[in-house]
Amino acid sequence: MSNVTVQPSPPAPSRRPDSAPVKAGRGTRRRRKEAAPQFRGVVSPHTLKTPRGRVIYWIVLVTVVVGFTAAFVFPLYWMVTGALRSPGELAQMPPSFFPESLDFAVYAEAWEQLNLGEFLGNTLLYAGGALLFTLAVDVTAAYALSKLRPVLGNLVLGMMLATLMIPPMVILLPAYLTVKDLPILGWDLLNTPWAIWLPAAANGFYIFLLKRFFDSIPRELLEAAQIDGASPVRILWSIVLPVSRPIIGVVSILSVVTCWKDFVWPLLVLPDSENMSISVGIASLSAQMPQNVLIAALVIASLPAIIVFFVFQRSIMAGLTAGSLKG
């Protein structure tokens, strides 16, 4: 027999324990989750779960909410009830929290003596015209900056936003001189509604709000309209405006309320008594009226703005947040 040498087969490579895949179980995942860093505030979540922590939490929450609510609501309450007090009751020290009697006839007296009907009509005319001019100018400007993208559009937008950094009192005199002698045309717009409408038309803040919303409108929607042959004006009227009703509603409300409560500018450009707004008219006759009648007039003048806010507060918040997130 021939000698046959059998070569031993090489041993199979052993797998290192540390290289073996380890399947993490529930316990491992739980420990990793517990080991993860937790972000905590001033009071730890554990403290809030204790009875004492819950009591302190609710005490602080109720105190803060009630305190801030009282700080904002109490002036309104004092104004409404101040009209129901007599002049002597308003002057007594310390003042009483509740009026001694409820005589609502003082509101009718304020309406007649201060001629609030005429002042309210003037203010409604100024606010309505300011709204129309604001929408006409600001919507078209925001649409051009957002969708038409003109040359140096970002520079123009930056200059508009820069005007928000200028205090209104600084530009009061140049604006008055412009209204008194309109450039190129040379018209005197004092004692006319145009003195209120034209300065209110261009507002950098409104243009910024509208542009941010227009940026969130899909460009594919506008391109499809362009393929169908729609002009930029038709796209704005038929597509952009119907989609942008929330933000247009916000701009409309802010424009009306701003014009309604303005005092300094109407005082300068509307000196005639028959053209005064309600805030200027009440101030001009305040020296001749009892204090309770004057407060009643202020309540009547404040009601439209307060009602508009409470009715459209959801629209205001929805419009301000619309277009801020994309996705």
Side-chain angles (χ1 to χ4, degrees):
M1 293 180 64
S2 60
N3 296 329
V4 179
T5 304
V6 179
Q7 297 292 337
S9 59
S14 61
R15 180 175 294 178
R16 296 178 59 183
D18 55 352
S19 63
V22 179
K23 185 177 181 180
R26 293 183 178 179
T28 305
R29 290 196 298 267
R30 186 178 302 153
R31 287 193 296 270
R32 290 179 180 176
K33 185 177 180 180
E34 293 176 355
Q38 296 182 357
F39 297 95
R40 52 171 293 181
V42 178
V43 182
S44 65
H46 175 70
T47 304
L48 292 177
K49 293 179 181 179
T50 61
R52 180 184 178 187
R54 286 194 295 266
V55 171
I56 296 176
Y57 168 78
W58 283 107
I59 290 176
V60 173
L61 178 63
V62 171
T63 302
V64 172
V65 171
V66 172
F68 277 96
T69 303
F72 285 99
V73 175
F74 182 75
L76 297 177
Y77 167 79
W78 191 259
M79 181 176 64
V80 173
T81 58
L84 304 177
R85 307 168 190 264
S86 63
E89 190 177 355
L90 287 171
Q92 73 178 14
M93 294 300 294
S96 59
F97 191 78
F98 298 101
E100 297 178 357
S101 61
L102 300 179
D103 185 11
F104 293 95
V106 67
Y107 289 101
E109 183 181 355
W111 181 274
E112 295 176 359
Q113 293 189 9
L114 277 78
N115 198 15
L116 295 182
E118 181 180 358
F119 294 150
L120 282 173
N122 293 339
T123 310
L124 184 61
L125 173 65
Y126 302 147
L131 170 62
L132 295 178
F133 278 93
T134 297
L135 293 180
V137 174
D138 295 352
V139 169
T140 53
Y143 173 71
L145 294 173
S146 175
K147 299 304 181 183
L148 302 182
R149 299 186 181 277
V151 180
L152 301 179
N154 292 332
L155 178 61
V156 174
L157 178 62
M159 295 175 64
M160 290 181 181
L161 296 179
T163 59
L164 302 179
M165 309 298 174
I166 304 175
M169 300 303 296
V170 175
I171 63 176
L172 200 61
L173 180 58
Y176 177 80
L177 296 177
T178 302
V179 170
K180 183 174 178 58
D181 186 11
L182 195 65
I184 301 176
L185 300 177
W187 295 344
D188 185 4
L189 302 181
L190 297 182
N191 284 314
T192 64
W194 296 97
I196 302 294
W197 295 344
L198 294 182
N203 189 296
F205 178 65
Y206 298 159
I207 294 176
F208 176 73
L209 288 181
L210 292 165
K211 180 183 180 300
R212 289 291 298 170
F213 189 92
F214 293 164
D215 290 341
S216 64
I217 299 177
R219 179 167 291 273
E220 292 79 7
L221 186 63
L222 278 67
E223 292 176 352
Q226 290 177 352
I227 294 175
D228 293 339
S231 63
V233 177
R234 179 62 182 273
I235 294 175
L236 173 62
W237 181 260
S238 301
I239 298 178
V240 176
L241 290 183
V243 175
S244 306
R245 282 181 294 181
I247 193 63
I248 291 177
V250 171
V251 172
S252 302
I253 294 169
L254 295 179
S255 175
V256 170
V257 172
T258 301
C259 183
W260 192 276
K261 69 179 183 179
D262 196 8
F263 175 78
V264 177
W265 182 248
L267 178 65
L268 290 177
V269 300
L270 301 172
D272 291 350
S273 58
E274 62 271 11
N275 296 324
M276 289 181 178
S277 63
I278 188 167
S279 57
V280 178
I282 293 176
S284 63
L285 300 176
S286 59
Q288 309 170 11
M289 297 292 122
Q291 193 171 6
N292 59 339
V293 176
L294 176 61
I295 296 176
L298 295 176
V299 173
I300 296 174
S302 304
L303 280 179
I306 295 175
I307 293 174
V308 167
F309 173 77
F310 278 108
V311 172
F312 298 102
Q313 58 177 335
R314 290 188 178 182
S315 301
I316 294 174
M317 297 306 300
L320 290 176
T321 56
S324 59
L325 298 177
K326 295 183 180 180

